[in-house]
């Protein structure tokens, strides 16, 4: 059974930082590209960042570029999202996702999803 479990969310003030973690099990982690998505109340799930199988290629949506950093540790079957200079508009549930596809920017490109972790940024 494939499981993705996010952790590290919480409440922070604007300008603060959080580091999200996603632990994967039940799959050969190094065979999967990994992504982070987020969903605010009343809005569609939005692409945030993705990383290739080897960690060589990194992708970010424009609104987080320069503030967020994605990374992975294949030995630990984990992917991370370091979030700095947080803004109230970053408030959302953040989801970890895994795919064997080379298409990484849309919800439908991913095969497996975690349950999400809440990130709340106060003004």
């Amino acid at each position: 059974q494939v499981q993705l479990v996010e952790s590290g969310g919480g409440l922070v003030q604007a300008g603060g930082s959080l580091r999200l973690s996603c632990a994967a099990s039940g799959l050969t982690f190094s065979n999967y590209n990994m992504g982070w998505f987020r969903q605010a109340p009343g809005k569609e799930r939005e692409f945030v960042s993705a990383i290739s199988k080897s960690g060589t290629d990194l992708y970010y949506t424009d609104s987080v570029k320069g503030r967020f950093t994605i990374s992975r540790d294949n030995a630990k079957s984990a992917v991370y999202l370091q979030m700095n200079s947080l803004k109230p508009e970053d408030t959302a549930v953040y989801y970890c996702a895994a795919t064997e596809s080379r298409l990484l920017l849309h919800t439908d490109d991913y095969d497996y999803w975690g349950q999400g972790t809440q990130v709340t940024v106060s003004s």
Side-chain angles (χ1 to χ4, degrees):
Q1 183 81 320
V2 173
Q3 282 195 317
L4 303 176
V5 181
E6 302 95 337
S7 61
L11 174 64
V12 297
Q13 295 184 51
S17 298
L18 284 173
R19 187 185 190 232
L20 305 184
S21 299
C22 173
S25 60
L27 76 170
T28 302
F29 186 72
S30 61
N31 288 345
Y32 287 82
N33 301 302
M34 302 297 296
W36 286 97
F37 289 74
R38 65 188 181 187
Q39 188 166 25
K43 294 191 174 182
E44 295 182 350
R45 191 167 297 186
E46 173 192 31
F47 172 80
V48 177
S49 186
I51 187 167
S52 63
K53 298 172 183 180
S54 66
T56 301
D57 302 309
L58 312 176
Y59 307 91
Y60 302 94
T61 192
D62 286 345
S63 64
V64 309
K65 196 168 187 177
R67 299 188 297 122
F68 292 10
T69 303
I70 191 169
S71 61
R72 68 189 292 161
D73 186 340
N74 285 352
K76 295 181 178 179
S77 296
V79 63
Y80 308 96
L81 187 68
Q82 178 67 47
M83 305 186 295
N84 298 328
S85 302
L86 283 161
K87 304 175 180 179
E89 50 262 46
D90 295 319
T91 295
V93 176
Y94 282 71
Y95 297 90
C96 174
T99 182
E100 293 182 293
S101 174
R102 294 178 180 177
L103 306 176
L104 305 177
L105 303 184
H106 303 97
T107 300
D108 290 347
D109 297 329
Y110 289 80
D111 303 305
Y112 303 108
W113 293 85
Q115 294 297 312
T117 185
Q118 177 71 49
V119 171
T120 303
V121 184
S122 62
S123 61

